[in-house]
Amino acid sequence: MSRRTEGGYTLFMVAGSIFLILGAAAFAIDLSAVRLDRASDQRVTDTAAAAGALAVASGNGMTGCEAALGYVALNTPGISSLDTSGCASFATSCDAATAREYSQVAGRFTVTYVHPVPDGHELMTPGALGSPAQPVDPQDGSSCERVGVRITSVPDAPFARLLGVTAPPTTVHTVARAAVGGGSGTPINLL
């Protein structure tokens, strides 16, 4: 082959390589954004469940629902407010065997409050991939003492959208129990 014909192959290889490198960089950026969103959602569910558990310990399921949803609304970018009118269904006495759930959709988020959280409920399973299941411990309290918060969000993956690909939703959850008693404070058990 002459030098003249090799120049076309080189240009083709360089252009193809640049396309692959840019594609890998876009994928890495989208994956990083999804991981950051998931970590942020997990922090919000942890503290929202703790706020709900504290309210349940000193009130009832309705006050727990209002506290948890209020916390999510204040601390999740993209959610300006959540309707807490459905929390009124938690004002009745707690039936330890029956989980009650209230969900709200706000933008790309679906927020669910659960009270009580029975031992066999799906929220009592580990949320992290590869985490071993743990038996329910006496420190986990009774079902009526537990509050669960779940956030499902559709990640914002701008480069995937350019290619017409929708990123799958991510789901995180936390179950908490507040033990009110004597001592220097109220311990919160994140299950």
Side-chain angles (χ1 to χ4, degrees), residues 62-170:
M62 182 176 90
T63 57
C65 178
E66 292 169 344
L69 293 182
Y71 190 89
V72 171
L74 286 173
N75 293 285
T76 305
I79 297 179
S80 57
S81 67
L82 290 170
D83 178 16
T84 59
S85 63
C87 292
S89 66
F90 295 94
T92 60
S93 62
C94 178
D95 175 6
T98 306
R100 292 182 285 176
E101 298 187 9
Y102 176 60
S103 294
Q104 280 287 297
V105 176
R108 62 186 187 92
F109 299 94
T110 302
V111 180
T112 304
Y113 171 81
V114 181
H115 180 259
V117 183
D119 293 351
H121 195 276
E122 66 184 69
L123 292 187
M124 292 298 287
T125 60
L129 294 174
S131 294
Q134 300 174 0
V136 176
D137 186 271
Q139 290 183 348
D140 296 341
S142 71
S143 298
C144 290
E145 294 175 305
R146 294 181 227 153
V147 167
V149 176
R150 175 177 47 231
I151 295 178
T152 300
S153 65
V154 177
D156 185 26
F159 293 108
R161 277 197 324 260
L162 285 175
L163 297 173
V165 177
T166 303
T170 61

Side-chain angles (χ1 to χ4, degrees), residues 1-93:
M1 283 193 193
S2 71
R3 192 177 208 345
R4 221 154 71 169
T5 57
E6 289 179 12
Y9 291 117
T10 304
L11 180 62
F12 177 74
M13 294 300 285
V14 168
S17 297
I18 289 173
F19 179 75
L20 289 174
I21 290 170
L22 289 176
F27 178 73
I29 290 169
D30 279 353
L31 185 60
S32 295
V34 168
R35 292 181 126 195
L36 286 172
D37 282 350
R38 183 177 166 84
S40 175
D41 292 349
Q42 186 65 62
R43 283 189 299 276
V44 170
T45 61
D46 288 349
T47 49
L54 282 169
V56 164
S58 60
N60 60 30
M62 182 176 90
T63 57
C65 178
E66 292 169 344
L69 293 182
Y71 190 89
V72 171
L74 286 173
N75 293 285
T76 305
I79 297 179
S80 57
S81 67
L82 290 170
D83 178 16
T84 59
S85 63
C87 292
S89 66
F90 295 94
T92 60
S93 62

